[in-house]
Amino acid sequence: MATEYGQGYGLPTGPGHAQGVGGRRHRMPAALRAPVEGRAWRELAHVLLSLPISILMFTYAVTMVSLGAGLLVTFLGVPVLAAALAGCRGIGSVERARARGLLGLDVGEPDPLRLKRQGFMGWIGAVLKSGTSWRALLYSVLQLPWAVLSFTVTVTVWSLGWSLLTYPLWFWVLPTYAGQDGIQLYGDEQRAIYLDNPFEIAVTAGVGLLFTLATPWIVRALTTVDRVMVHGLLGPSRLASRVVELESDRGVVVDTAAADLRRIERDLHDGAQARLVNLAMDLGLAKEKLREDPQAAARMVDEAHGEVKTALQELRDLARGIHPAVLTDRGLDAALSAVASRCTVPVQVEVDLSERPAPAIEGIAYFTVSELLQNVSKHSRATWAAVEVWRSEERLMLQVVDNGVGGADLSRGSGLAGLAERLDAVDGILVVDSPAGGPTRVTAELPWRAERAR
């Protein structure tokens, strides 16, 4: 699904306007409105809160781990160390919630504890063996020095910017209560330079404006490091995320295989099997009539012969739907040309492959194009279509284009959504570009594995 450039990111979309979140237009550029935006104040609050929170985290983590390490010579050290790590896991939950509320960073929950055995000892072993626990401990220790740095930089730049910007409003305080003419830039025993005339006051306010406008972007750069730390140390590990993804993909593959088996069973039961049963009955009746009425028996045998042809054609179609022989024998070019010849619109096929992919990838590519051409025949109202297949580095690229009415959308839960799930199960991608009125361009990517994998 295509996203319009600039939408939702504050990028310019027209003269004098900026596109805001949810399509709301801003007349003020992002650089000028940043100091008063809610996001800037939330990020400022995150930095200011980080220092006291990180002090508590660091104190707890270092104290508990040191206590547990010191008691390792006794049995008490192990449960104390486990309690320290469990507390760090709790701290991680709080920090994820704080990042979600103030930074807008939605980090998934890490792996839960996997108890190999029940009871207190099983819990201790699970906590000590969990990588999530140790990453949370590392976050609790590393957060303090970074919080000190970010707090210092933020408070200094923020206070300097606003104090200089508002200097025309409060500069009178210095001669009245401090006994000097203004902010002192330089001074020694013989000479002192103060910002006290209107021009110097205006320049000071201008410098303050520059600092004020730059402060939100400096704070945003600092909180980017916080985002990286929260995501990398408190979120699920890459291995755990990959395991979850593979489990999901395995479920899709199993469901797809089960659906294909049900389809094959239904086609056999309702199609060829039913015709063969009728054929057996007709041949039995013809056998009984053979002596009494040879001509009627001959007609019945002739009808049975037609049923045999139809049953054979249905079996061929069913076998082609499982895995066509032309794909195995001659590859994608010939197989896709055969599919294109059965489409209701003229289809141009171009396959540019120097070698054949692995059988599994080749089969998925074939059925992907086949299903897309069926959609062209049924729904597109097109007058022509084109199929292109090529290799791009380690990806097999498929593209089906037609000049139909368009309007195809993956989010509607149509057959395209199921096709996208099947491709995702093998690390593939399906991209649909189908504006209303057409044309429709569907691009699929599959991982490339060479034919030698056969």
Side-chain angles (χ1 to χ4, degrees), residues 378-424:
K378 295 178 181 178
H379 309 296
S380 69
R381 287 183 279 175
T383 58
W384 64 266
V387 176
E388 294 183 53
V389 181
W390 72 97
R391 179 183 176 182
S392 177
E393 297 180 352
E394 295 304 312
R395 306 291 285 181
L396 177 63
M397 309 295 295
L398 316 171
Q399 190 171 87
V400 178
V401 183
D402 68 74
N403 65 341
V405 295
D409 191 352
L410 280 173
S411 62
R412 296 178 182 175
S414 60
L416 289 175
L419 188 58
E421 290 181 356
R422 294 189 183 189
L423 293 180
D424 184 64

Side-chain angles (χ1 to χ4, degrees), residues 195 220 232 257 280 284 300 309 348 401 434:
L195 302 176
R220 191 158 301 169
M300 296 179 68
K309 291 182 178 180
Q348 179 182 353
V401 183
S434 181

Side-chain angles (χ1 to χ4, degrees), residues 14-301:
H17 292 81
Q19 188 77 15
V21 177
R24 183 166 56 90
R25 293 186 178 274
H26 295 280
R27 294 186 177 276
M28 187 181 298
L32 296 180
R33 69 174 187 272
V36 295
E37 278 188 325
R39 176 181 176 179
W41 291 102
R42 288 192 297 270
E43 291 172 341
L44 176 64
H46 183 275
V47 173
L48 297 181
L49 289 173
S50 291
L51 182 59
I53 293 176
S54 63
I55 292 174
L56 296 176
M57 291 191 304
F58 183 88
T59 304
Y60 170 83
V62 172
T63 302
M64 291 295 293
V65 171
S66 301
L67 179 62
L71 293 175
L72 281 177
V73 294
T74 68
F75 174 75
L76 293 177
V78 176
V80 170
L81 187 58
L85 293 177
C88 290
R89 291 176 68 100
I91 289 173
S93 300
V94 174
E95 286 296 278
R96 285 193 298 273
R98 187 165 71 98
R100 187 180 303 114
L102 296 178
L103 299 182
L105 178 65
D106 191 5
V107 179
E109 295 292 329
D111 291 343
L113 291 177
R114 300 183 182 273
L115 301 180
K116 292 186 177 180
R117 58 177 180 173
Q118 299 298 322
F120 183 65
M121 297 304 298
W123 176 81
I124 291 178
V127 172
L128 293 177
K129 293 179 181 179
S130 173
T132 301
S133 304
W134 294 101
R135 292 199 307 272
L137 172 63
L138 181 61
Y139 176 86
S140 301
V141 174
L142 294 180
Q143 179 65 15
L144 178 60
W146 174 249
V148 172
L149 175 64
S150 59
F151 182 91
T152 303
V153 172
T154 298
V155 171
T156 301
V157 176
W158 187 86
S159 58
L160 178 64
W162 283 101
S163 61
L164 294 180
L165 178 62
T166 58
Y167 184 57
L169 302 178
W170 61 268
F171 78 98
W172 56 270
V173 173
L174 295 175
T176 302
Y177 296 100
Q180 63 185 48
D181 295 334
I183 296 178
Q184 184 177 355
L185 287 182
Y186 173 79
D188 53 24
E189 296 179 354
Q190 290 81 23
R191 184 183 179 190
I193 299 178
Y194 297 98
L195 302 176
D196 54 357
N197 62 58
F199 174 76
E200 294 172 344
I201 293 174
V203 171
T204 302
V207 173
L209 177 62
L210 295 179
F211 272 98
T212 302
L213 294 177
T215 297
W217 305 103
I218 296 174
V219 175
R220 191 158 301 169
L222 295 172
T223 56
T224 299
V225 178
D226 290 280
R227 290 183 173 91
V228 172
M229 292 177 62
V230 172
H231 187 275
L233 296 177
L234 300 182
S237 64
R238 294 181 62 182
L239 178 60
S241 302
R242 183 59 176 165
V243 169
V244 172
E245 181 182 354
L246 290 176
E247 289 178 348
S248 175
D249 292 345
R250 182 183 63 183
V252 172
V253 171
V254 171
D255 294 341
T256 301
D260 289 340
L261 288 175
R262 289 194 299 269
R263 176 183 60 81
I264 294 171
E265 189 276 335
R266 183 181 65 250
D267 292 343
L268 284 174
H269 182 272
D270 298 340
Q273 181 179 345
R275 291 189 181 279
L276 291 175
V277 170
N278 291 333
L279 174 61
M281 294 176 62
D282 291 342
L283 289 177
L285 293 175
K287 181 179 178 182
E288 294 177 359
K289 288 182 173 291
L290 185 59
R291 293 183 179 179
E292 300 176 1
D293 191 353
Q295 293 183 352
R299 287 194 300 271
M300 296 179 68
V301 170

Side-chain angles (χ1 to χ4, degrees), residues 264-382:
I264 294 171
E265 189 276 335
R266 183 181 65 250
D267 292 343
L268 284 174
H269 182 272
D270 298 340
Q273 181 179 345
R275 291 189 181 279
L276 291 175
V277 170
N278 291 333
L279 174 61
M281 294 176 62
D282 291 342
L283 289 177
L285 293 175
K287 181 179 178 182
E288 294 177 359
K289 288 182 173 291
L290 185 59
R291 293 183 179 179
E292 300 176 1
D293 191 353
Q295 293 183 352
R299 287 194 300 271
M300 296 179 68
V301 170
D302 186 60
E303 293 174 358
H305 183 255
E307 288 289 327
V308 169
K309 291 182 178 180
T310 305
L312 287 174
Q313 183 60 42
E314 291 180 352
L315 289 174
R316 291 193 190 97
D317 294 339
L318 184 59
R320 187 185 297 114
I322 298 174
H323 194 86
V326 65
L327 178 62
T328 303
D329 298 337
R330 300 173 56 190
L332 274 175
D333 195 355
L336 295 183
S337 297
V339 172
S341 66
R342 296 192 296 270
C343 189
T344 58
V345 301
V347 180
Q348 179 182 353
V349 179
E350 182 177 350
V351 179
D352 183 13
L353 296 176
S354 59
E355 59 180 326
R356 293 179 64 176
I361 300 300
E362 195 174 55
I364 295 173
Y366 170 82
F367 287 111
T368 298
V369 174
S370 178
E371 186 164 342
L372 292 175
L373 289 181
Q374 288 181 15
N375 289 340
V376 171
S377 298
K378 295 178 181 178
H379 309 296
S380 69
R381 287 183 279 175

